[in-house]
Amino acid sequence: MSGSDWNVLVPIEVLEGESVPETVIELLSTLPVVLLGYHVLPEQTPPGQARMQFEDQAQAKLDDLVAAFDSADGTAETRLVFTHDEDQTVERVADETGCEAILHPNPSSRIERLLLPVGADADLDRIAGFVASVVGDRDIELTLYYVAETDADVPSGEAVVEEATGLLRERGVAADAITGDVTVSGAPVRAIATAAADHDAVVMGESEPSLGSVLFGDPSEQVADRSLGPVIVVRNERDADASAPAE
Amino acid sequence: MGGTPAEGGVSPEEPANRDGETPVLEQPTTADEATVTEEGTELERTIGLTGGIAIGVGTMIGAGIFVFPGIAAGQAGPAAAGSFAIGAVVALLVALPASELATAMPRSGGGYYFISRGMGSLFGAVVGLSLWFGLVFASAFYLVGFGFYAEAVLARLGVSLGGFDIVVPLALLFGVFLTVLNVTGTENAAKLQNGVVAVLLAIIVGFLSFGGLSALGLIGDPEPVSEPFLSKGAFPVLTTAALVFTSYLGFAQVATVAGEIKQPGRNLPLAMVGSVLIVGVLYVATIFVAVSAFGSDRLAAFGETAMVSVAESFLGPVGAFAILVGGLLATVSSANASILSTSRAIYAVSKDALLPRVASRINLRYGTPHVALGLAGGPIIVLILLGEVEVLAEVASFLHLVMYGLLCVALIALRRDEPEWYDPEFRTPGYPVVPVLGALASFALIGFMQLASQLIGLVVMALSAGWYLYYARDVKLKGVL
């Protein structure tokens, strides 16, 4: 995976007043962005019916955002979807456009420090590749953050942080920009959200679906909700045929 | 609005209606997961095969099992099972051509859309507006059925209302309730609908297994009643088939959400044909079991809630309770599904400029189509006041059967001279025999209805044609995708 072909999907509920903060636009200016404007409808309403009424308004908002990306020297293409099911739409468009990362766009006053939570099962290679291309040659501090369940788990956490540091340096990130942090906590999501409050944005890997994620939402959503800052999820590698565009 | 250049100044040559509106076109490239319109806007498809079957079964099962057995047995004797079987055959003969058309044009509007594109806007307008009223009649019928069950529940709880007939007031109350709920409710009711259908199927299969064993004399008391199959003669079998055909209207409601079904080429035919087969088998078995428990005359005397007495005779109060709960759930789910289909039928004709566009306005607060839902709920409430179960059912069937017959004709018309865009993923087996028989059977079934129902149906069609000639005669829809 070379640094240049990372696409980021930015889903925004365009008619509900959601937007992309300027600082986030600036953070993503190094990568091609797919702006997914979507509108969720109750099942009583056929998507085509909503399109008749809201298409122009929604497209105008997306065009404004594209102009904002342009003026920050970024690139953005747009998709506009009327749907009953937000998750299905985000997944489908991410697959079709080959986006490896998805942004939860919360506001942030500036982007100078990124939090990178890394778990034992994280795809460090992918996350490091993505982060390196986002950062580029900019002056952004990175914190590699590992939550150990018990004290006995700390050494393996330190090993993960060390490996990730190596991978980032291989991709040209300056050594003094990277900090490692291994914390012991029984509630990893809460710990990450707390740490996120001291940072400007979070970049994390995708989690496998679990009972917890069904009940409380995906960990990345929980972090976004608790920390109130932007969160970028780096998706796991997709099977070649699953990401092929539909005919 | 996108694609309506004629909105302001109207020249007489433009295909516009009296308000200067022209059809909104999607001109889509249809993919499996989303419809992509010409402007690039995408319409996500979110209903899977289970959801499609739940719409079909959920719409149909309320009437055939929980309302009709007593009435049908009274008219046709044990051969009422044959009436339901005839209905199933007619429904299948139409479901196959409908599946082909739906896979060729998987858009909202179902039968209306196929006929307007295959046969032009006059036929389209008559079918589209008649479908609106056909669904209104069907919804009123289901709600009156609900009223009977609600009354039976109250009676069993010992609630006395001083001898008033509360069927119609209860039906009215629920009609208003469902309409308001659909305008204001944004919860995900589709999951609930799937659950309701699953519960219903469990109740019915349980009832049928027990009743079937008893009917064969293997278990239980009472002794099966033996009675000649054609105890009322052959002709009533056909008139009863026309009456109970209302139990098979739901498969076409799957086509009204064709624009929202995933992998339409596969799921639409499976959902339509599958739901007809499922309910057809259950209906025939139910009548068989019910008639062998009591004989047709006693069954007829129990009326709309005859199944409660049948279940009670097999399983005591538990059986009665299960069927009462089932009847309430089934009639509400059928009514609700029909109200939603009505709103979609109105959207489809309004999008094509056959009704003022304001009819498909969406409420900014709830995101729901409040005008279309009101245009469904209002007439339903008026019709409930009629309270005539049989006329409501027959007019609903009449208006649907006209659409079914024309749908088969539209298929033949399209196949004889296939336009370039016509590329269905599913092709009707046995063409041209199946659509020809489907059209003949649909029109023939109308002939067996009561005169009053036929007259009301004809008046609705004539008014629809009159409205088209007055309001939208310049709108051209044939072959316009």
Side-chain angles (χ1 to χ4, degrees):
Chain A
M1 185 75 53
S2 73
S4 61
D5 54 3
W6 291 97
N7 294 328
V8 183
L9 185 72
V10 180
I12 41 174
E13 205 166 356
V14 69
L15 294 172
E16 299 294 321
E18 272 189 15
S19 190
V20 189
E22 253 177 67
T23 48
V24 175
I25 292 179
E26 211 176 296
L27 174 70
L28 296 178
S29 61
T30 45
L31 301 177
V33 166
V34 178
L35 268 174
L36 164 62
Y38 67 96
H39 186 52
V40 181
L41 301 156
E43 66 202 27
Q44 299 95 311
T45 314
Q49 190 166 354
R51 174 216 164 206
M52 289 201 322
Q53 197 166 332
F54 300 125
E55 181 177 45
D56 295 344
Q57 193 187 346
Q59 191 60 53
K61 289 208 173 189
L62 284 180
D63 292 344
D64 287 349
L65 279 172
V66 170
F69 272 91
D70 282 346
S71 58
D73 290 329
T75 48
E77 56 168 298
T78 64
R79 301 278 292 255
L80 175 59
V81 185
F82 291 93
T83 182
H84 292 301
D85 184 338
E86 172 180 352
D87 293 345
Q88 181 186 320
T89 298
V90 171
E91 281 290 308
R92 176 180 65 82
V93 174
D95 284 345
E96 284 178 10
T97 51
C99 283
E100 290 89 357
I102 302 175
L103 171 79
H104 296 283
N106 279 336
S108 181
S109 55
R110 61 187 190 287
I111 308 262
E112 288 162 8
R113 305 184 65 200
L114 294 183
L115 180 70
L116 314 179
V118 283
D121 52 356
D123 190 341
L124 297 180
D125 208 39
R126 257 176 102 72
I127 296 177
F130 175 76
V131 171
S133 22
V134 173
V135 171
D137 52 9
R138 293 184 289 184
D139 204 8
I140 294 179
E141 286 179 35
L142 307 174
T143 307
L144 289 161
Y145 189 70
Y146 186 98
V147 183
E149 263 180 60
T150 60
D151 290 332
D153 199 20
V154 170
S156 59
E158 278 163 353
V160 169
V161 167
E162 199 167 320
E163 189 191 345
T165 309
L167 288 167
L168 283 168
R169 293 202 51 195
E170 272 172 35
R171 288 170 173 77
V173 178
D176 59 358
I178 308 171
T179 322
D181 184 356
V182 178
T183 304
V184 180
S185 164
V189 170
R190 198 172 308 164
I192 293 169
T194 310
D198 293 333
H199 293 75
D200 305 317
V202 179
V203 179
M204 60 196 288
E206 189 179 23
S207 318
E208 294 300 325
S210 67
L211 181 63
S213 68
V214 172
L215 291 178
F216 306 114
D218 194 74
S220 62
E221 284 168 29
Q222 295 182 55
V223 171
D225 288 347
R226 285 167 189 257
S227 72
L228 302 177
V231 175
I232 299 174
V233 179
V234 180
R235 305 173 85 208
N236 295 334
E237 207 139 9
R238 291 298 190 265
D239 297 336
D241 49 308
S243 61
E247 281 181 42
Chain B
M1 293 297 141
T4 57
E7 198 95 21
V10 188
S11 73
E13 304 304 317
E14 288 286 339
N17 64 22
R18 282 196 166 243
D19 291 331
E21 295 159 347
T22 55
V24 173
L25 306 179
E26 283 168 3
Q27 301 187 317
T29 46
T30 295
D32 279 350
E33 304 297 328
T35 302
V36 185
T37 68
E38 205 183 28
E39 284 82 13
T41 303
E42 297 159 52
L43 312 172
E44 193 86 35
R45 295 175 175 273
T46 48
I47 303 176
L49 179 58
T50 322
I53 290 181
I55 290 171
V57 173
T59 311
M60 290 192 268
I61 210 152
I65 290 190
F66 294 99
V67 182
F68 275 135
I71 303 173
Q75 291 191 3
S83 304
F84 276 100
I86 291 171
V89 171
V90 176
L92 274 181
L93 287 174
V94 179
L96 290 167
S99 299
E100 171 169 339
L101 292 168
T103 62
M105 299 170 258
R107 309 297 151 62
S108 281
Y112 154 74
Y113 194 91
F114 315 146
I115 291 165
S116 61
R117 269 50 183 183
M119 299 173 69
S121 41
L122 172 60
F123 284 104
V126 170
V127 166
L129 298 174
S130 302
L131 178 61
W132 165 16
F133 286 101
L135 285 163
V136 162
F137 274 89
S139 311
F141 161 71
Y142 298 132
L143 283 166
V144 174
F146 167 82
F148 279 107
Y149 272 87
E151 182 196 38
V153 169
L154 290 178
R156 274 175 191 261
L157 294 174
V159 180
S160 159
L161 290 130
F164 278 113
D165 182 8
I166 52 163
V167 171
V168 167
L170 285 171
L172 275 180
L173 197 69
F174 238 75
V176 174
F177 173 72
L178 285 181
T179 308
V180 172
L181 196 69
N182 276 312
V183 171
T184 59
T186 50
E187 307 304 319
N188 191 349
K191 299 241 160 35
L192 192 66
Q193 169 86 352
N194 293 359
V196 166
V197 170
V199 168
L200 280 173
L201 288 178
I203 291 179
I204 292 164
V205 168
F207 162 77
L208 287 178
S209 341
F210 199 88
L213 291 174
S214 169
L216 296 170
L218 295 178
I219 50 169
D221 197 49
E223 280 297 295
V225 177
S226 63
E227 185 182 358
F229 187 67
L230 287 170
S231 65
K232 317 271 180 194
F235 189 71
V237 178
L238 294 174
T239 54
T240 307
L243 170 65
V244 301
F245 193 73
T246 319
S247 327
Y248 290 104
L249 301 185
F251 72 88
Q253 267 57 285
V254 180
T256 62
V257 293
E260 293 157 58
I261 300 235
K262 287 187 225 177
Q263 301 184 339
R266 163 181 173 267
N267 288 342
L268 277 169
L270 281 176
M272 285 203 258
V273 174
S275 54
V276 169
L277 286 175
I278 292 171
V279 297
V281 167
L282 292 177
Y283 290 166
V284 172
T286 301
I287 300 294
F288 172 74
V289 167
V291 171
S292 54
F294 277 123
S296 50
D297 290 328
R298 276 188 67 197
L299 207 56
F302 292 132
E304 278 81 0
T305 52
M307 292 313 289
V308 180
S309 312
V310 175
E312 190 162 31
S313 80
F314 291 137
L315 295 160
V318 178
F321 174 76
I323 293 293
L324 280 171
V325 170
L328 289 175
L329 281 178
T331 47
V332 167
S333 111
S334 292
N336 194 49
S338 303
I339 291 173
L340 289 180
S341 296
T342 317
S343 146
R344 283 184 160 79
I346 293 170
Y347 154 59
V349 285
S350 141
K351 170 166 158 288
D352 284 344
L354 298 177
L355 278 181
R357 181 109 341 121
V358 65
S360 43
R361 288 298 290 183
I362 291 169
N363 184 298
L364 292 177
R365 172 144 173 223
Y366 301 109
T368 50
H370 60 299
V371 182
L373 287 166
L375 290 173
I380 289 171
I381 285 160
V382 173
L383 288 177
I384 289 172
L385 289 171
L386 284 174
E388 283 291 327
V389 167
E390 295 184 21
V391 172
L392 291 176
E394 283 199 348
V395 176
S397 297
F398 179 108
L399 295 169
H400 277 81
L401 282 165
V402 170
M403 175 173 86
Y404 293 168
L406 288 176
L407 196 148
C408 294
V409 176
L411 175 70
I412 296 167
L414 283 167
R415 281 267 204 124
R416 279 176 59 135
D417 182 18
E418 282 196 26
E420 212 172 300
W421 53 263
Y422 190 73
D423 182 25
E425 277 183 58
F426 171 86
R427 286 194 174 251
T428 305
Y431 179 89
V433 179
V434 166
V436 168
L437 282 180
L440 291 178
S442 300
F443 294 135
L445 218 45
I446 292 174
F448 291 105
M449 291 179 176
Q450 303 172 27
L451 190 60
S453 317
Q454 294 171 334
L455 287 177
I456 296 175
L458 286 174
V459 167
V460 171
M461 286 177 65
L463 288 176
S464 304
W467 170 262
Y468 165 75
L469 293 174
Y470 162 74
Y471 184 73
R473 70 188 313 163
D474 293 329
V475 175
K476 299 279 175 281
L477 296 171
K478 188 170 181 175
V480 178
L481 289 181

